[in-house]
Amino acid sequence: MLERTDLVVVGAGPAGLCAAIEAARAGVRVVLVDENPRPGGQIFRQLPGPFRVTNPARMGPDFRRGRALLDQLEGLPIRVLSNATAWGSFNDRVLEVSHDGLPLQLSAEAIVLATGAYDRPVPIPGWTLPGVLTVGGAQTILKTQRILPGRRILMAGTGPLQLVVASQLARAGAVLVAVADPVPTWSVLRHAPALLRAWSITRDGLAYRWSLVRARVPWLTPYVLVRIEGRDAVERTTIARVDDEWRPVLGTERTFEVDTVCVGYGLVPSIELPRLLGCRLLFDPLAAAWVPARSLEFETSVPNVFAVGDGAGVAGAVVAAEEGRIAGLCVAERLGRLTSADARRRAAPARARLHSLQSFRMAMDSVYCLKSGLHELADDETLVCRCEERTAGDLRAAMREGARTLDHLKAWTRGGMGPCGGRMCGLPTAHLLARELGVDVAFVGCYRPRPPVKPVPIAALIGRERG
């Protein structure tokens, strides 16, 4: 079934919601596509339908901010498609969507991609044991089910999300034996002027940190997680002090008895749809990730296709929302619903907000820039491609036998051919190959996406062919 509309927005997090709202307020007909049962994204994730909130104050500020944003959808020409996955595109500005398991084609004059990001995979010995979660996964469990992911938890990684989730787990009653962070505290404090210029965000960060102090959670820096052990599930984990390149220092290991490990070394933009649509990508060395090239209006190299939010470069919910607003207003102008003067006037507050956050964003990127030692933790027995069960040793053997590109490695080992489409193993494999070749990881590139870019029911594919 082909449905035509003015604008399709993929992703109902802060960026997608704000883009849809601003465009719809100007009279643009919008279809908002999101994989989750309810809109809100990760930061504003809402409880499942059977849950009832009797005291919103206890749900935290993100829940209340999310509800306030979702309330703005009322009365606007926005059709929200939940449980919907945009999995491919075979024609200009036509998206293939699986909605509740059934096929749907969405044709639009413009597309805003607000695809979000996912936890960066960092293979280390034992990372596939039951009881190992990403920080984002632990947050999802806590937000959607209101349960703890484990009884004794060690958190390892770095970045703002690590701090947020550690605080949320502590407030929920989790026993956090420690938080291991390779970034020393002094490296954050030296950016104090930039942090103070974004005081509202910094204030939230200080509140999160103070909650951990009150809960007496040890924050160990500079430490990195080096291995996880257990027979059938996590039983213990070992961290070690690291040097300036995040390489473990011999003799500094510390072991903890735990049943759960939450790992988070930042987020990776979801670039599968932008690349499938033909958008040009750039490698961001500070973020160590590929991102779409964009104009000042956040338009990609493909006309009338925009990329906003963490899916175009991880910068947090505040930046994502402002980018979404600007893109939505630009779409309204392109479609003749706003004059150029009106679009500029409405976008001015968002642009001012982004400008005020620029130094803060640069400081965060600098502080949490990943170091090379992190990509050297996987030994030959460590699984890298979980779907196809290919170890770092398998990949290194293929390189020694002559594989010199990611396509070679995929063909020789099947690494990257599993259901995740290379989302979990793509970057780790690229780092392994770059190290073998002695080149920068940007030179290696990334896996080519193939539709469907995410797993969808076979009925969605069969239905398309029959249609």
Side-chain angles (χ1 to χ4, degrees), residues 215-401:
R216 297 183 179 180
V217 176
W219 192 282
L220 306 177
T221 66
Y223 276 85
V224 74
L225 181 64
V226 294
R227 64 179 174 274
I228 306 165
E229 298 172 291
R231 183 167 183 174
D232 299 313
V234 173
E235 297 175 7
R236 72 193 64 84
T237 186
T238 300
I239 65 175
R241 194 172 183 86
V242 294
D243 62 17
D244 290 343
E245 288 300 316
W246 296 7
R247 293 187 176 91
V249 177
L250 293 178
T252 64
E253 294 84 358
R254 298 178 62 175
T255 299
F256 296 87
E257 302 293 325
V258 296
D259 58 40
T260 305
V261 179
C262 297
V263 184
Y265 288 96
L267 302 173
V268 179
S270 295
I271 59 169
E272 296 81 17
L273 271 181
R275 193 168 188 213
L276 200 64
L277 289 168
C279 304
R280 186 169 67 91
L281 300 182
L282 301 173
F283 189 79
D284 183 342
L286 282 179
W290 292 92
V291 297
R294 302 184 295 169
S295 70
L296 294 177
E297 286 73 34
F298 308 114
E299 187 176 21
T300 69
S301 60
V302 178
N304 285 342
V305 175
F306 299 77
V308 293
D310 284 353
V314 177
V318 176
V319 170
E322 305 301 352
E323 290 186 356
R325 289 189 178 98
I326 293 170
L329 291 168
C330 185
V331 169
E333 179 189 353
R334 293 282 179 88
L335 300 185
R337 306 302 199 277
L338 289 176
T339 65
S340 296
D342 283 342
R344 286 195 301 270
R345 176 178 55 81
R346 294 192 188 189
R351 291 199 180 278
R353 179 67 168 154
L354 288 178
H355 180 74
S356 70
L357 291 172
Q358 187 173 7
S359 62
F360 176 82
R361 293 174 60 185
M362 293 176 63
M364 290 296 96
D365 288 345
S366 176
V367 167
Y368 297 115
C369 181
L370 304 182
K371 303 299 178 63
S372 58
L374 189 67
H375 310 298
E376 301 169 8
L377 296 173
D379 60 23
D380 280 348
E381 301 302 316
T382 302
L383 280 177
V384 174
C385 179
R386 300 162 71 114
C387 300
E388 297 294 329
E389 298 186 338
R390 291 296 177 264
T391 67
D394 295 332
L395 297 171
R396 288 169 178 143
M399 296 173 201
R400 289 193 294 269
E401 292 170 6

Side-chain angles (χ1 to χ4, degrees), residues 124-213:
I124 66 167
W127 77 309
T128 56
L129 279 170
V132 181
L133 295 84
T134 63
V135 168
Q139 186 183 53
T140 298
I141 291 174
L142 187 62
K143 283 189 172 184
T144 60
Q145 301 299 319
R146 311 304 292 174
I147 60 175
L148 296 174
R151 292 184 294 273
R152 286 178 56 82
I153 304 171
L154 180 129
M155 300 192 68
T158 194
L161 184 61
Q162 176 92 331
L163 176 61
V164 172
V165 178
S167 174
Q168 291 171 342
L169 288 172
R171 287 202 309 269
V175 177
L176 296 180
V177 299
V179 177
D181 188 342
V183 175
T185 302
W186 63 262
S187 67
V188 180
L189 296 178
R190 70 181 181 182
H191 292 280
L195 301 182
L196 292 174
R197 280 194 287 271
W199 174 242
S200 62
I201 300 175
T202 302
R203 180 183 57 203
D204 289 343
L206 291 173
Y208 290 133
R209 188 68 180 89
W210 178 243
S211 70
L212 295 176
V213 172

Side-chain angles (χ1 to χ4, degrees), residues 95-114:
L95 291 177
E96 304 290 336
V97 177
S98 171
H99 181 218
D100 287 329
L102 298 177
L104 174 65
Q105 288 181 308
L106 293 175
S107 175
E109 296 298 315
I111 295 173
V112 172
L113 300 173

